[in-house]
Amino acid sequence: RASSPASPTLYQRALYGIVLEPTTFPSCLLGVRSGCGASAAEPPGACPVGVEDHIARERCATIADGLACGHASVLGCRALRRAAAGFATVPDLVMTATVPTALHAQGKALKIEPSAGAALFGPQMLLGTSSGRAFLRAEGFLTRTWGGQWKPTARMRQATHVAWTTGGNMVPQDVYDEYLRGGAEGLKLFDRHLVPDV
């Protein structure tokens, strides 16, 4: 029950929220890393540090318009400090590649927009990077063999990846068709990102 005092503790042990943002618009990542929302005395509003403080204005563009805001809110950063297990950024081309991938895998049952596709990339970010694997190992999802190979634990074998993929059915067909065409280029980059680092 949501009203139970034990519920947040239980959920924090069972659920791991990873915030995935566009590489050129990581406002929540920047807000939390800059200390926004750390103090209960901080007034509500926008975080003082924003995307344009770290990324050149001409590079501040993304296909994931629903995720694009220059400054995260103090309230949002405060909530993310408590709930998010981590942050990662995803390039636009990779997000776009998830659109045709989802369509081919699930048909019209999974018609998504690129920003929703970012969530589908989460497992690759965790398993395909050294920092992701370190997180999974620390949380008991992976272990290392004597030969140095990564091995999933029983906890990992019972894990479920939940992706929030709303919005695709509201995209006009001509825009969706453009996402599908752009996804072909993104698939090339997507494949490169799936190669695990060592």
Side-chain angles (χ1 to χ4, degrees):
R1 293 179 35 183
S3 60
S4 168
S7 293
T9 304
L10 172 67
Y11 287 131
Q12 286 177 350
R13 289 187 194 150
L15 301 175
Y16 295 84
I18 308 295
V19 178
L20 295 164
E21 295 185 284
T23 301
T24 56
F25 257 95
S27 57
C28 292
L29 168 65
L30 292 172
V32 169
R33 290 289 176 129
S34 71
C36 185
S39 168
E42 190 172 359
C47 293
V49 174
V51 171
E52 290 182 359
D53 296 317
H54 295 276
I55 298 173
R57 181 182 287 268
E58 61 273 8
R59 292 193 57 226
C60 288
T62 180
I63 196 165
D65 58 347
L67 300 176
C69 62
H71 293 258
S73 72
V74 172
L75 180 62
C77 286
R78 191 171 292 143
L80 288 173
R81 287 178 169 286
R82 289 190 307 269
F87 293 84
T89 63
V90 182
D92 277 12
L93 282 175
V94 173
M95 283 189 273
T96 305
T98 63
V99 175
T101 302
L103 181 66
H104 294 306
Q106 298 293 321
K108 291 185 180 179
L110 191 55
K111 183 180 177 184
I112 63 171
E113 59 184 336
S115 57
L120 300 177
F121 194 59
Q124 285 78 16
M125 295 292 287
L126 288 170
L127 293 166
T129 64
S130 56
S131 58
R133 289 188 300 268
F135 169 79
L136 291 172
R137 184 179 190 184
E139 295 298 327
F141 290 100
L142 287 179
T143 188
R144 274 203 123 140
T145 65
W146 285 104
Q149 298 295 315
W150 290 101
K151 180 181 174 187
T153 63
R155 187 171 190 202
M156 175 65 98
R157 287 189 290 276
Q158 294 175 351
T160 300
H161 172 229
V162 178
W164 183 350
T165 59
T166 61
N169 289 331
M170 295 186 209
V171 174
Q173 189 61 45
D174 60 326
V175 174
Y176 185 73
D177 291 341
E178 185 59 36
Y179 290 159
L180 290 173
R181 283 189 290 278
E185 282 301 308
L187 284 171
K188 296 173 189 171
L189 182 62
F190 190 70
D191 287 342
R192 191 178 81 200
H193 275 270
L194 289 178
V195 177
D197 62 13
V198 184

